[in-house]
Amino acid sequence: MVIVAVDVGGTFTDFVTLSDDGSIESFKVLSTPRNPEAAVLGGLRRINARIDEVLHATTIGTNALLGQVGLELPKVALFTTKGFRDVIEIGRQNRPRLYDLFFEKPKPLVPRELRFEIEERTLANGEVVKEVNPREVEEYAVKAKSLGVNSVAVSYLHSYINPRNEEITGSVLGRYFNYVALSSKIAPEPREYERTSTAVVNAALMPIVSQYINEFSKGLRELGIDKFFIMSSSGGLVDSDEATQRPVQLIESGPAAGAVAAAEFSRIISVRNVIGFDMGGTTAKASSIVNHEPEVTTEYEVGGEVHHGRLVKGSGYPVRFPFIDLAEVSSGGGTIIWRDEAGALRVGPLSAGADPGPICYDKGGVEPTLTDANLALGRIGDYLLGGEMKLNKEGAIKGLRRLGDPIDVALNAIKLANIEMARAVRLVTVERGLNPGDFALMAFGGAGPQHSAEIAEELGVSTIIVPPEPGAFSALGLLMADEKFEVRMSYPRDLEEGFMKLEDELSQRLGKVSYFLRYADVRYRGQGWELTIPVNRPARIEDVERTFNDKHQATYGFRLSKPIEVVTIRVFAVVTRLKPRFKVKNLGGEAKPRGFRRVFFNEWVEAPVYWRGDIPMGQVIEGPAVIEEYGSTIVVPPRWRAEVGGNAEVIMRR
């Protein structure tokens, strides 16, 4: 049996194969941004083995909401309680830029003429005081159909307590539309705006994701592959049915895979707290892993603005769904270096991507990038991908020279990028009440290990872990993930009884479940927002209160002597899967450098260049040095040393 994991990035599409014995192999192909499945299917054809299963991370949800050409959003209608048609437009009255008089709110995904008010009402205690009239729903359904609508969201007041009216409406709409999203099934939680927004985003993505999955499945069937799973934003694999019904959970599919890989590998090497640092060709992402678990948030904004890795509240569309807590900045290998009108050196946010790519790729790129800067400084060699891809160093230096002295430009651009990436790490540590110095930095992605030491110094981190296959580590994360399905309930009358009911629902749906994870959204009574905490078995309110108080103290620096309130409980059903095994070959002896290269740190030094596969466990390599491998390059600066650990990881210490 061979399982293939595929991670589609902005520059490269990564493939990792897992065999029955737990062994892995990886390779990369250049991405095809205008037709991403072309690179995926082309890469699968290169594998000379019978493929039983494909695991996939996709950015189609994000791309559609950001307005990528060829992924136009469909016409969506909203059916809502009478008097609440403008909830998605009124929103929370957040102003992303407080002093910007010309700021425009994000355009509603449903125009006003496609929002239909239904005479129905459910009270906050779940009592239905006005049952929905199917004839009224049918009348509006016919009108919506005539206006070209092909996907519908339904969000009624208090449907998270009693979904009866939504279910009646859904059964009527199902006769007219292929895609119907009920808020009580997508996000059964209080807050009309966020719940309605989630249902609308889900409805907008259903046709796009459904078509993508159908086309992808068709391509796989032509290759004789019947099964595939997709990574969800919460860090678990879901099947195609779940992805089609609730595509809102795929929005951060790609970045989640890297965080899962960091969490699972931290468990393998018994390092409890790590910072996942993933620097690829287009962006850099940071995540915090505490006690081998990635931090999870339950609210996110999609299609909005990002300021130095921080989501700008009020600039996008809120989604209430579990997401791995990530900070993302535009600092990847392909990020463009430029000067502004005042002559100041700038890095990003634009990226050269895969097409045309950095100047050194020799594919028509004319703007210098961070990859060009690393090449000019000798931190990467003249070849990538184990010699498959020759780089044009002269072209890179020539491009940098247009901005000034090429070495100064390259060095300062890398420093600027490192500061920006360190800022992203602080967002998921310092701003969450965590000290980066208490963590090890796990660096991966094609460019991550090149920059990791300087970022660690900026953050006060003393240990860096470069895992096996760092260049394809997010794809490897797909193989390290388990299947994970989520359900939730708001305002349970009895905590343990509520969790048991959710677990029974998942057991009946999935059959075999390996184990369950329990979480609760908790707040002090009278507070406006909640914190999500893990819940033990059996669920006791006193245990929940103690855990919540501790997290509130760590997050905000204080706790209150007030009673708590459990707003929403959620359960993940986990189905475990075959995992890769990491072993170091017993090479014996000591690896010798395969060559030497001039590398610029604070000055030019003649640094030894090692091949990672040559280095036996326990050998210590003193910096300055460079360690190359197929998918990445590890830069070991002066005053740092590197050593291979027992699970094929490279450990760098100051």
Side-chain angles (χ1 to χ4, degrees):
M1 182 176 80
V2 170
I3 301 172
V4 181
V6 186
D7 177 38
V8 181
T11 305
F12 288 102
T13 295
D14 301 332
F15 295 79
V16 180
T17 63
L18 172 65
S19 301
D20 278 334
D21 60 359
S23 62
I24 57 173
E25 292 182 8
S26 72
F27 65 92
K28 291 172 175 279
V29 300
L30 282 169
S31 294
T32 50
R34 293 179 179 84
N35 187 17
E37 57 268 26
V40 176
L41 297 173
L44 291 174
R45 291 188 187 97
R46 287 178 50 176
I47 298 170
N48 295 317
R50 183 181 175 276
I51 300 170
D52 296 87
E53 217 172 71
V54 170
L55 313 180
H56 183 32
T58 177
T59 56
I60 189 168
T62 307
N63 295 344
L65 291 163
L66 289 175
Q68 179 177 311
V69 175
L71 286 177
E72 284 75 19
L73 293 174
K75 265 194 174 184
V76 179
L78 171 64
F79 283 64
T80 190
T81 305
K82 187 172 184 179
F84 288 84
R85 72 189 293 195
D86 294 322
V87 159
I88 61 168
E89 196 156 358
I90 295 169
R92 290 289 173 198
Q93 293 295 297
N94 291 340
R95 288 188 65 86
R97 298 188 295 276
L98 193 59
Y99 301 106
D100 184 355
L101 299 178
F102 303 101
F103 166 72
E104 292 184 12
K105 293 175 68 174
K107 183 181 177 182
L109 293 175
V110 183
R112 199 165 193 269
E113 65 271 15
L114 294 180
R115 303 177 213 152
F116 302 107
E117 296 181 319
I118 304 298
E119 289 261 16
E120 69 81 40
R121 181 55 67 97
T122 301
L123 300 183
N125 63 3
E127 180 189 353
V128 178
V129 293
K130 175 72 173 174
E131 191 164 289
V132 70
N133 182 349
R135 289 182 183 176
E136 184 185 15
V137 175
E138 193 160 14
E139 180 184 327
Y140 285 130
V142 171
K143 183 178 179 182
K145 193 79 173 175
S146 70
L147 293 171
V149 169
N150 62 355
S151 187
V152 181
V154 183
S155 182
Y156 291 156
L157 213 58
H158 305 305
S159 63
Y160 55 89
I161 290 288
N162 185 348
R164 176 171 169 74
N165 277 351
E166 280 198 1
E167 289 170 352
I168 293 170
T169 302
S171 65
V172 175
L173 293 174
R175 300 200 297 267
Y176 292 87
F177 304 97
N178 292 326
Y179 309 105
V180 179
L182 305 183
S183 75
S184 53
K185 290 192 180 298
I186 307 302
E189 299 184 34
R191 298 192 181 92
E192 301 84 44
Y193 170 52
E194 286 79 7
R195 180 162 47 84
T196 304
S197 176
T198 304
V200 166
V201 170
N202 195 82
L205 292 178
M206 285 174 88
I208 294 171
V209 171
S210 180
Q211 182 181 353
Y212 177 79
I213 287 174
N214 288 339
E215 290 294 322
F216 191 66
S217 300
K218 182 180 176 183
L220 293 180
R221 283 194 298 272
E222 290 172 359
L223 296 173
I225 306 164
D226 294 322
K227 286 180 67 179
F228 83 98
F229 289 86
I230 301 177
M231 174 62 74
S232 72
S233 305
S234 63
L237 297 169
V238 297
D239 57 31
S240 56
D241 289 340
E242 174 76 3
T244 302
Q245 292 302 312
R246 299 204 289 179
V248 72
Q249 65 187 303
L250 305 183
I251 289 167
E252 286 294 300
S253 167
V260 170
E264 290 300 316
F265 195 70
S266 77
R267 201 184 305 274
I268 291 169
I269 61 176
S270 301
V271 177
R272 293 172 65 87
N273 299 333
V274 302
I275 296 162
F277 170 59
D278 176 7
M279 184 182 178
T282 308
T283 61
K285 295 163 279 287
S287 57
S288 55
I289 316 296
V290 179
N291 293 327
H292 312 302
E293 293 291 338
E295 291 286 291
V296 174
T297 181
T298 57
E299 186 175 344
Y300 196 77
E301 279 199 17
V302 299
E305 300 173 16
V306 177
H307 181 69
H308 294 299
R310 183 187 284 105
L311 284 166
V312 180
K313 289 281 188 179
S315 65
Y317 309 105
V319 167
R320 293 289 288 183
F321 219 90
F323 286 78
I324 288 181
D325 194 9
L326 293 157
E328 186 169 1
V329 293
S330 181
S331 289
T335 300
I336 291 171
I337 305 166
W338 55 289
R339 289 193 184 275
D340 61 20
E341 292 177 358
L345 193 69
R346 304 286 294 275
V347 179
L350 293 179
S351 172
D355 185 13
I359 294 172
C360 62
Y361 283 11
D362 255 354
K363 291 184 64 188
V366 295
E367 302 290 344
T369 66
L370 289 176
T371 296
D372 296 308
N374 277 303
L375 179 61
L377 296 178
R379 298 185 184 186
I380 57 176
D382 293 339
Y383 291 87
L384 292 181
L385 306 182
E388 291 178 16
M389 187 175 181
K390 189 178 189 313
L391 301 181
N392 179 356
K393 188 171 184 177
E394 285 185 14
I397 292 173
K398 186 177 178 182
L400 291 164
R401 185 172 283 118
R402 292 200 303 270
L403 302 176
D405 178 79
I407 302 306
D408 283 346
V409 169
L411 196 63
N412 288 323
I414 286 172
K415 286 179 180 177
L416 287 172
N418 290 341
I419 291 169
E420 184 76 353
M421 291 184 283
R423 185 183 282 120
V425 172
R426 290 189 180 98
L427 288 177
V428 296
T429 52
V430 176
E431 291 199 9
R432 306 291 187 269
L434 305 170
N435 178 9
D438 297 335
F439 288 70
L441 184 71
M442 189 173 292
F444 52 96
Q450 297 164 31
H451 294 252
S452 57
E454 291 176 348
I455 291 170
E457 289 179 352
E458 175 76 20
L459 294 165
V461 172
S462 58
T463 302
I464 296 168
I465 299 162
V466 182
E469 303 288 350
F473 199 57
S474 289
L476 190 56
L478 295 167
L479 294 169
M480 299 169 80
D482 292 314
E483 295 170 41
K484 208 171 178 183
F485 299 84
E486 184 256 12
V487 291
R488 68 193 97 157
M489 173 195 298
S490 291
Y491 297 112
R493 290 185 176 85
D494 179 273
L495 208 54
E496 179 62 21
E497 186 181 308
F499 278 117
M500 291 293 290
K501 183 177 179 181
L502 294 179
E503 289 172 0
D504 288 344
E505 180 185 332
L506 285 166
S507 295
Q508 290 175 22
R509 187 169 116 207
L510 301 173
K512 184 182 177 183
V513 175
S514 303
Y515 61 91
F516 295 102
L517 296 171
R518 296 175 165 189
Y519 295 91
D521 296 347
V522 187
R523 64 187 179 194
Y524 290 118
R525 195 166 292 164
Q527 267 188 328
W529 297 95
E530 305 84 41
L531 289 174
T532 301
I533 60 167
V535 177
N536 295 323
R537 183 189 301 267
R540 290 191 289 258
I541 194 67
E542 56 270 22
D543 295 338
V544 170
E545 185 168 20
R546 182 169 55 254
T547 305
F548 171 74
N549 278 324
D550 290 345
K551 182 156 186 178
H552 199 280
Q553 177 75 47
T555 305
Y556 299 116
F558 69 94
R559 62 181 73 195
L560 300 175
S561 55
K562 293 182 69 172
I564 65 164
E565 181 179 28
V566 177
V567 178
T568 303
I569 60 173
R570 67 187 77 239
V571 171
F572 288 96
V574 179
V575 181
T576 55
R577 299 171 53 89
L578 173 71
K579 301 288 199 307
R581 295 176 190 161
F582 304 99
K583 291 182 180 178
V584 180
K585 294 176 183 176
N586 188 13
L587 301 169
E590 189 173 280
K592 300 296 181 185
R594 289 197 176 185
F596 289 83
R597 186 165 72 230
R598 290 181 77 234
V599 183
F600 194 92
F601 292 100
N602 290 324
E603 59 182 358
W604 288 105
V605 296
E606 198 72 16
V609 180
Y610 294 85
W611 186 254
R612 183 169 179 174
D614 295 343
I615 306 171
M617 184 173 71
Q619 180 177 345
V620 176
I621 293 174
E622 299 283 348
V626 176
I627 302 172
E628 295 183 338
E629 58 182 302
Y630 173 80
S632 189
T633 300
I634 304 171
V635 175
V636 188
R639 302 186 306 280
W640 284 80
R641 60 176 54 180
E643 180 180 354
V644 176
N647 289 282
E649 76 276 20
V650 172
I651 305 163
M652 293 170 58
R653 294 188 175 92
R654 264 193 300 189

